[in-house]
Amino acid sequence: MSKDLKEIVFPSRRTDGQLIRMKRDWVIPPINVPENSRGPFPQELVRIRSDHDKNRSLRYSVTGPGADQPPTGIFIINPISGELSVNKPLDREHISSFHLRAHAVDLNGNQVENPIDIVINVIDMNDNRPEFIHQIWNGTVPEGSKPGTFVMTVTSVDKDDPKTANGMLRYKILSQNPESPSSNMFTINNKTGGIITVAAGLDREKVPQYTLIIQATDMEGNPMYGLSNTATAVIKVTDINDNPPEFTAETFFGEVPENRVNVIVANLTVTDKDQPNTPAWNAVYKITGGDPTGRFSVPTDPTTNEGLVTVVKPIDYEISRTYVLTVEAKNEVPLARGIHFPRQSTATVSIRVIDVNESPYFEPNPKLIKLEEGMIPESALTTFTAQDPDRFMQQTLRYSKLSDPANWLRIDPNTGRITTIAILDRESPYVKNSLYNATFMASDNASGTGTLQIYLLDINDNAPSVFPQEAEVCEKPEPNAINITALDGDLNPNAGPFAFELAHRPSDVRRNWTITRLSDYAQLSLKIGFLESGIYEIPIIITDSGNLPMSNTSYLRVKVCQCDINGDCTDQQHIMAAGLGTGAIISILLCIIILLILVLLFVVWMKRRDKERQAKQLLIDPEDDVRDNILKYDEEGGGEEDQDYDLSQLQQPDTIEPDAIKPVGIRRLDERPLHPEPQYPMRSAAPHPGDIGDFINEGLKAADNDPTAPPYDSLLVFDYEGSGSTAGSLSSLNSSSSGGDQDYDYLNDWGPRFRKLAYCCSLRIHMLVEGLGIGCGPVLETMGGNIGGLSPFGSLVLNALSYT
């Protein structure tokens, strides 16, 4: 056990557990341990002891961060001797101090002493270099700055204890590049890192940027013991307007045609040593002399910084042939203090004006003259001449008419004298508000136009007319007057007030009507108590108030009609009176009649066409075919095999084979069923009847009761009518005289098929008589041969067919 190891003794207390009064200076001092110790480890720090270890055995322990709490294992204690040791090197920058608590217990684990607090401080060592926050620092300083002008501040940090020399930094400038105009243009505050200027002569146009190497050293800048680091400071010299713009030439030249505007006459170029595209470089041009009327301006080209001399007002060659301008150039911002504009900041611009052929002009334009309307042709009105502004060019003007809507005027091409070629009429539609406008042109090599305005004074040259021209009144006025006035193309006093008077002819006008003049209109009313309905043309004499009055007989169209209690016309003639004349009504009626005739002709043509179609359908319509075996081939199946008949069977029905033994080739392809058919009782061959009606009826019954028959009509046994005939000769329709009184009503019982045959043949006989016979041979042919010998009806049919 080390004898010189420092001891920490627990405070004494009584056996009853109460503490004994201690001295005021009883304080456990902290334990200082240097960081980064090299050992050997474990390294004893202090011995913890209790006075009770003299009487019995005790056990010591420590708790807290670094002992039994993270980071664990840094501090250990010998439980018997109480020696507290550090087990590894410490790092102040990681943990600068530890707070532990020491305990003393007996062998039974009973607490012998109250725990005491132990503070272990880690002593700093200079083990960290200074670190700059940025490796490159950027700063600016205006050119021409005075010494002592602040530029920028650089900052460095050191992880060592700033309260000791290990963390106390000092700055200095190691180098400056370039070293112009002096190698010590800047200095730095060694404690704060602030950089300021120490010399004059900063000029951006010579040195636009400086680069400084800055060093930071700890241990208060001790170069022997301190640790150091470096960084770079880049200082840009900013521009100020210390260079005025200077023209590249003393005089500039240009030329411009007269009367041209917005054209560039000359380009003024300048030089400026300041930074381009900054307010200290951008030039502003101003005309200081030679342009009293403000005909030029000098805007700046933003790209080239040139001055563009531009014409903004027309220039007249006849007034001034040359211009000499004085132009001054400045910057957008004022020059720096103490710098003056040199003589090169002002230049002269000489501009030559080019003469061009200008258009003649009329003066005044428009020209107004006043004339009375009604002037006769070939009357002289005025002389309308133009002026040629080209005084230095000898040219001859020619005049022509450009616009004369009414074609009233003519102009002399040499003198500009204007005369009339027609009567001037103020009431013309080309005159607006008594003004008539005509345009004329004067030309040499160029041309100009002028307008002549003729104000036409009114004369009484228009007779008045009644207004409105149509009106209506009731048969029985109660009272029912018509208010009328007059229209006059003239103006007052050549128009109203008007005088109204009924004409003397026809005589019934004044007998039936009366007219009364009021202030500015007149009233026309019936003089009698009743007037028959109709249209009346009433002549009214109207006189205006001109100096030489003009009268006119104007006709008022009045419709007299029957009225209701409200005084409104009730008959249909109201529509006619509203504006349809007799000619218009007749035209409408003729159109209606022609339309009806066309419709009637179309209906007749359609009916005739239907009759012809019905006549043709007697043979070609499948529904009317007496054979009932024509198929519609627009369905599935069918074809030429539907006509595969064994016509020999029509002559010898005795040879018809039963269906069970019919050859396959005789069967129709669309006949059903195709599979083996069930055996039904075979249809018996019908005997030769003496009457065709019984024969057909028996055949129909056999066909209807045959389950193997197809759902359509085909070759059946009733189509045989025998091999002989008892009928007479068919040479004449009169050959069958017998049976004329015979009753043929029983034919209606033969069925629908034979009834259709009878109808067809009787229709053809009728048509034969009318001269329109068409053969029924194909119809009879399908029924199978000669039926003439069976009845007088058959004989009649065959005789009819022989004629066809």
Side-chain angles (χ1 to χ4, degrees), residues 46 61 117 129 148 182 226 331 347 381 489 576 594 709:
V46 71
S61 64
D117 293 327
R129 290 180 177 274
S182 171
N331 293 121
L381 299 184
M576 297 172 54
I594 293 173

Side-chain angles (χ1 to χ4, degrees), residues 151-367:
V151 179
M152 60 189 301
T153 299
V154 297
T155 304
S156 179
V157 294
D158 196 321
K159 295 181 181 179
D160 293 327
D161 191 356
K163 297 178 181 180
T164 65
N166 299 332
M168 295 181 180
L169 307 181
R170 297 294 182 265
Y171 301 93
K172 73 175 181 176
I173 298 176
L174 297 182
S175 65
Q176 170 191 311
N177 184 34
E179 298 180 352
S180 175
S182 171
S183 59
N184 296 315
M185 295 297 295
F186 304 93
T187 187
I188 188 170
N189 188 312
N190 65 346
K191 293 183 178 180
T192 62
I195 300 175
I196 60 175
T197 61
V198 293
L202 291 174
D203 190 352
R204 188 201 66 84
E205 288 73 33
K206 294 180 180 180
V207 181
Q209 178 176 293
Y210 289 91
T211 301
L212 306 180
I213 303 300
I214 310 299
Q215 183 186 58
T217 306
D218 58 13
M219 297 299 292
E220 297 181 301
N222 190 324
M224 184 176 296
Y225 303 106
L227 302 177
S228 62
N229 212 337
T230 60
T232 301
V234 178
I235 302 174
K236 291 184 178 181
V237 181
T238 59
D239 186 39
I240 63 172
N241 192 15
D242 56 345
N243 293 281
E246 298 180 5
F247 285 101
T248 58
E250 294 183 358
T251 304
F252 296 87
F253 299 92
E255 60 182 20
V256 60
E258 64 174 330
N259 300 322
R260 297 285 300 275
V261 294
N262 298 326
V263 293
I264 298 175
V265 178
N267 290 40
L268 310 182
T269 56
V270 295
T271 59
D272 196 321
K273 297 179 182 180
D274 292 322
Q275 186 175 356
N277 301 315
T278 62
W281 178 82
N282 296 335
V284 178
Y285 300 89
K286 180 181 179 181
I287 299 175
T288 59
D291 185 24
T293 57
R295 298 185 180 275
F296 299 91
S297 68
V298 188
T300 303
D301 188 328
T303 303
T304 62
N305 208 30
E306 294 179 350
L308 308 178
V309 181
T310 307
V311 180
V312 294
K313 292 182 181 180
I315 300 174
D316 192 353
Y317 176 83
E318 286 69 30
I319 297 177
S320 179
R321 300 183 183 184
T322 59
Y323 287 87
V324 179
L325 309 180
T326 301
V327 181
E328 182 183 60
K330 294 183 178 181
N331 293 121
E332 292 182 355
V333 295
L335 285 173
R337 183 179 300 176
I339 300 176
H340 303 283
F341 283 99
R343 186 175 60 85
Q344 292 81 359
S345 294
T346 301
T348 301
V349 182
S350 179
I351 301 173
R352 184 174 68 91
V353 182
I354 301 174
D355 189 19
V356 296
N357 186 22
E358 300 178 75
S359 300
Y361 63 93
F362 288 86
E363 186 67 30
N365 189 16
K367 182 177 182 180

Side-chain angles (χ1 to χ4, degrees), residues 115-178:
I116 59 174
D117 293 327
I118 299 175
V119 177
I120 300 175
N121 291 327
V122 182
I123 304 302
D124 183 44
M125 304 294 290
N126 190 18
D127 58 346
N128 290 279
R129 290 180 177 274
E131 297 289 342
F132 283 93
I133 298 177
H134 304 290
Q135 191 60 34
I136 297 178
W137 297 80
N138 294 308
T140 60
V141 59
E143 63 175 330
S145 297
K146 296 179 179 180
T149 303
F150 174 78
V151 179
M152 60 189 301
T153 299
V154 297
T155 304
S156 179
V157 294
D158 196 321
K159 295 181 181 179
D160 293 327
D161 191 356
K163 297 178 181 180
T164 65
N166 299 332
M168 295 181 180
L169 307 181
R170 297 294 182 265
Y171 301 93
K172 73 175 181 176
I173 298 176
L174 297 182
S175 65
Q176 170 191 311
N177 184 34

Side-chain angles (χ1 to χ4, degrees), residues 605-622:
W605 177 76
M606 289 297 295
K607 287 186 176 181
R608 184 172 181 177
R609 185 178 177 183
D610 291 341
K611 288 182 179 180
E612 292 178 357
R613 185 168 58 251
Q614 291 176 0
K616 291 181 181 180
Q617 287 180 351
L618 292 175
L619 290 178
I620 63 175
D621 193 351

